[in-house]
């Protein structure tokens, strides 16, 4: 499968959770394989997810951070210290990106670079 086909078929296969009868087909399998094999389409997909959540990818240093940080946009009661799904959080008061430490307190490990692609997270520091 090539990149153009992958992206054209994304509306069909990109909505999760996907019923087995949709992904368990030769085309569905090729689509999944392309996602894992193609960095460019993998990044593109993360961007699509963030946009679907109402975010702007340009507001984030890269698509990986955009995808992670927007994962909980839709749940108003998301507490980064309570929710093991939250890997990286943007702390609005400080503007820091960090990994919550779930020891009952509210400390974070502030990160400087994207763990996936290594871009610096703060342009103006
Ligand atoms: Zn591709
Ligand atoms: Zn990244």
């Amino acid at each position: 499968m090539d990149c153009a086909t992958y992206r054209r078929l994304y509306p069909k296969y990109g909505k999760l959770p996907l019923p087995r009868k949709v992904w368990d087909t030769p085309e569905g399998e090729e689509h999944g394989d392309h996602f894992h094999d193609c960095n460019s389409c993998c990044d593109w997909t993360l961007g699509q997810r963030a946009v679907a959540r109402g975010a702007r990818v340009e507001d984030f240093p890269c698509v990986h951070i955009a995808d992670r940080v927007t994962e909980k946009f839709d749940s108003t009661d998301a507490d980064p210290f309570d929710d093991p799904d939250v890997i990286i959080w943007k702390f609005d008061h400080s503007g820091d990106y960090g990994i919550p430490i779930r020891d009952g307190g509210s400390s974070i490990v502030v990160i400087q670079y994207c763990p996936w692609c290594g871009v610096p997270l703060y342009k103006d520091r």
Side-chain angles (χ1 to χ4, degrees), residues 2-125:
D2 61 27
C3 296
T5 310
Y6 173 90
R7 293 174 197 208
R8 187 169 49 77
L9 292 174
Y10 177 74
K12 183 172 172 188
Y13 295 109
K15 301 264 177 294
L16 302 173
L18 209 56
R20 184 184 182 100
K21 64 175 192 301
V22 177
W23 61 257
D24 199 8
T25 58
E27 189 184 69
E29 220 165 85
E30 272 190 57
H31 199 264
D33 287 349
H34 190 89
F35 173 77
H36 292 292
D37 295 343
C38 177
N39 275 336
S40 150
C41 287
C42 180
D43 286 358
W44 178 86
T45 301
L46 298 183
Q48 295 294 304
R49 286 188 205 161
V51 169
R53 295 173 189 135
R56 283 160 27 107
V57 176
E58 310 85 80
D59 292 342
F60 298 91
C62 66
V63 289
H64 314 108
I65 299 293
D67 179 49
R68 284 298 164 191
V69 170
T70 59
E71 202 163 12
K72 295 288 160 182
F73 261 21
D74 47 358
S75 68
T76 46
D77 56 351
D79 178 350
F81 295 100
D82 221 31
D83 188 337
D85 289 343
V86 176
I87 297 170
I88 291 180
W89 194 255
K90 181 166 192 191
F91 294 86
D92 285 330
H93 53 280
S94 58
D96 289 334
Y97 291 100
I99 302 168
I101 303 169
R102 297 188 179 87
D103 62 356
S106 59
S107 20
I108 61 168
V109 176
V110 174
I111 56 172
Q112 304 294 332
Y113 300 94
C114 171
W116 292 275
C117 70
V119 301
L121 299 183
Y122 315 103
K123 277 186 221 126
D124 43 1
R125 292 190 191 175

